[in-house]
Amino acid sequence: MNGQLDWFKGGLLLGAAFLLAVALVKPIGVSTQFVIADGIVWNLFSDTVIKKDTASKSGYASPNAYLNKSGGKYAKNVAKPLNYSFVFVIAMVIGAFMSAQLGGPKATAQDRIAPEPWRNRFGQKPVLRYVTVFLAGVLVLFGARLAGGCTSGHMMSGMMQTSLSGYLFALGTFAVAVPIAILIYKRN
């Protein structure tokens, strides 16, 4: 693709963004916001999902054990979603759109179907690519929730804060990702 930011400059900018986030607000992590989004939709259809509860630390409670964690912290985020984390996720989508409109990376027509390494290995079958990417996304999200956080929270924010779990998560991610990529793309 054309118009991509140099990896070194991009890494410095990403590091600066993470440092600012930690210094000014809190570490970056986004996978929990998928759960919050699910809770918001669920709450639209059921008035029993979130309840005000003065006995709860957050002032909100839920019969759902996950949303009720940490004194109803996630239940409160469902009831009042306009908080830093949820707005951050929305801003990521808006930022990606703005980048595309303002001269960010431009994918060719073929790259919109699938990247060149995929096309070289599997051909130009968009359905296969879309199904594979969807299933991979589900697995990553499942793993992120199982681990109690996502790559941005564990690996990027965690490593920046010199968290042992962040380094272990990064090690595990690459220990799995590199062999899988080699198997999928048949490279030595």
Side-chain angles (χ1 to χ4, degrees):
M1 292 195 308
N2 298 325
Q4 287 178 292
L5 190 60
D6 172 77
W7 69 269
F8 185 74
K9 291 176 188 172
L12 289 176
L13 286 171
L14 184 63
F18 271 82
L19 186 61
L20 277 173
V22 169
L24 299 177
V25 187
K26 67 178 195 166
I28 292 173
V30 298
S31 66
T32 300
Q33 299 317 306
F34 285 100
V35 175
I36 302 304
D38 291 345
I40 291 168
V41 172
W42 186 11
N43 198 35
L44 290 173
F45 296 100
S46 173
D47 58 356
T48 63
V49 177
I50 306 297
K51 300 246 186 227
K52 284 191 176 188
D53 183 359
T54 55
S56 175
K57 183 176 163 183
S58 70
Y60 290 87
S62 175
N64 178 281
Y66 190 84
L67 294 177
N68 209 40
K69 274 173 51 163
S70 304
K73 175 181 157 187
Y74 296 148
K76 179 180 180 182
N77 288 345
V78 169
K80 298 182 177 203
L82 287 179
N83 58 57
Y84 167 76
S85 297
F86 202 71
V87 170
F88 180 81
V89 172
I90 293 167
M92 285 186 345
V93 174
I94 293 169
F97 176 77
M98 287 174 55
S99 173
Q101 299 307 307
L102 297 173
K106 300 290 184 213
T108 65
Q110 288 183 319
D111 282 337
R112 284 191 189 108
I113 294 170
E116 185 178 350
W118 177 274
R119 291 191 317 265
N120 291 342
R121 175 76 170 95
F122 299 104
Q124 297 202 34
K125 301 171 189 160
V127 173
L128 176 62
R129 172 71 175 165
Y130 298 152
V131 168
T132 303
V133 169
F134 177 79
L135 292 175
V138 167
L139 284 173
V140 167
L141 188 55
F142 177 76
R145 296 317 314 143
L146 191 64
C150 59
T151 54
S152 57
H154 278 308
M155 193 181 320
M156 296 162 70
S157 288
M159 288 176 65
M160 186 181 77
Q161 297 173 79
T162 65
S163 164
L164 178 60
S165 66
Y167 288 105
L168 291 173
F169 182 82
L171 179 68
T173 299
F174 284 101
V176 171
V178 171
I180 293 294
I182 290 169
L183 285 172
I184 288 175
Y185 293 109
K186 302 285 187 200
R187 292 189 179 170
N188 296 328

